[in-house]
Amino acid sequence: DQDEWMSDDLYYFLDRGAASGATANIKIVIDYTYPDGGSGQIESPEMFVYSGTFVTASGANVTNTADGSILTLTFTIDGNLVDLSAIDFNNAYYSVFRVIDDDNEEYVPLPAPTVEQNGDTVSYIFVLTDVLPPGQYKYDIALYYDDWEGYTIETFNIS
């Protein structure tokens, strides 16, 4: 007798196959029968569901200058899964760490980036005041589409 659907958790299996992400529109349909024999059906509104990620790391580039380093992190967004115009590329979580050994990492402070989008490719360009020393680095990014967090992590080396 209520017109509002509520749930705390919705668990579903969305087969991605070999893809990094998948989406679907679903609805929940419940057929019911009461002990007195009365029956009926109720259904939810259509809901957007997702699995995996819609963002993939596409590379890192470091250019040393007299004033420091320019770090460019590039990502590909799967435009078949999300509407690129609905993503705020300036509202992203990103981080870079220098790998010390298997158990230790050193956080690399980053200034606000310049964000450049070219179709489904997005680059975050960081102008650093220090030169990045040689070694292995790990970076990650999280972008947001509706309530979906597209996340990827990758490593790169500086010789």
Side-chain angles (χ1 to χ4, degrees), residues 35-63:
D36 67 2
S39 63
Q41 184 181 75
I42 56 174
E43 62 183 61
S44 73
E46 196 168 89
M47 296 175 274
F48 172 74
V49 296
Y50 48 83
S51 176
T53 189
F54 57 86
V55 59
T56 305
S58 300
N61 183 54
V62 177
T63 304

Side-chain angles (χ1 to χ4, degrees), residues 21-152:
T23 63
N25 290 319
I26 66 164
K27 65 170 58 179
I28 299 170
V29 179
I30 300 173
D31 294 316
Y32 61 89
T33 303
Y34 289 114
D36 67 2
S39 63
Q41 184 181 75
I42 56 174
E43 62 183 61
S44 73
E46 196 168 89
M47 296 175 274
F48 172 74
V49 296
Y50 48 83
S51 176
T53 189
F54 57 86
V55 59
T56 305
S58 300
N61 183 54
V62 177
T63 304
N64 289 324
T65 68
D67 298 326
S69 292
I70 299 172
L71 172 63
T72 303
L73 305 177
T74 304
F75 306 92
T76 303
I77 310 301
D78 189 337
N80 293 316
L81 297 176
V82 296
D83 175 3
L84 275 71
S85 68
I87 298 173
D88 181 359
F89 293 107
N90 291 306
N91 181 27
Y93 164 82
Y94 42 80
S95 64
V96 174
F97 290 88
R98 183 169 166 257
V99 178
I100 306 300
D101 56 40
D102 288 344
D103 298 320
N104 297 293
E105 299 172 340
E106 177 182 64
Y107 176 72
V108 177
L110 297 173
T114 299
V115 180
E116 294 181 357
Q117 180 186 359
N118 183 6
D120 62 355
T121 301
V122 180
S123 295
Y124 287 78
I125 303 164
F126 301 92
V127 179
L128 307 172
T129 56
D130 295 319
V131 172
L132 292 172
Q136 184 180 48
Y137 290 80
K138 178 174 69 173
Y139 66 95
D140 62 350
I141 190 167
L143 294 169
Y144 305 95
Y145 177 78
D146 194 17
D147 67 342
W148 188 5
E149 179 183 273
Y151 179 80
T152 189

